[in-house]
């Protein structure tokens, strides 16, 4: 017997992918050029790598359906920053992109509200 998915809650992966689409669209609307999405290794994943003018940006995307337990931006703690920083170093070593400046941005989606923090942290 086959189960239908009609009316089912979307999976975490599907929700994450949909939110990354929202994030990419949001960034594009603000002049970013998406270079790569979902760069994965055994160490982890970079959500979005983009260019904001001449700056290479590593964008961490976080989402929450409501603000009942706080804003999505608040979920980027020191552990997450360290993982993303480590992954950025791997990306730079593997892809060898040309750049003069790089930065870490965080894009949070809480419900329908989108917040972008440019230059959220530095190495």
């Amino acid at each position: 017997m086959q189960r239908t998915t009609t009316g089912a809650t979307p999976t975490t992966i599907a929700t994450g992918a949909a939110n990354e689409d929202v994030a990419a669209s949001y960034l594009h609307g603000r002049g970013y050029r998406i270079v790569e999405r979902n760069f994965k290794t055994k160490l982890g994943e970079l959500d979005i790598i983009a260019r904001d003018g001449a700056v290479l940006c590593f964008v961490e995307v976080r989402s929450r359906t409501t603000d009942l337990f706080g804003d999505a931006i608040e979920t980027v703690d020191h552990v997450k920053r360290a993982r993303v920083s480590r992954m950025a170093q791997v990306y730079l070593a593997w892809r060898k992109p040309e750049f003069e400046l790089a930065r870490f941005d965080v894009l949070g989606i809480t419900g329908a509200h989108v917040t972008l923090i440019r230059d959220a942290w530095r190495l």
Side-chain angles (χ1 to χ4, degrees), residues 25-74:
S25 178
Y26 184 90
L27 293 168
H28 180 74
R30 274 137 192 88
Y32 285 64
R33 183 176 57 82
I34 306 302
V35 174
E36 191 166 346
R37 289 176 58 178
N38 302 313
F39 174 78
K40 295 179 186 177
T41 73
K42 291 179 181 180
L43 295 175
E45 176 181 4
L46 292 172
D47 296 327
I48 297 176
I49 299 97
R51 296 268 182 181
D52 182 18
V55 179
L56 182 64
C57 302
F58 298 97
V59 184
E60 176 63 18
V61 178
R62 305 299 285 184
S63 64
R64 285 188 166 171
T65 54
T66 71
D67 63 357
L68 187 61
F69 297 105
D71 195 278
I73 293 284
E74 297 170 8

Side-chain angles (χ1 to χ4, degrees), residues 9-20 63:
T9 304
T11 65
T12 304
I13 293 170
T15 301
N19 285 326
E20 284 181 13
S63 64

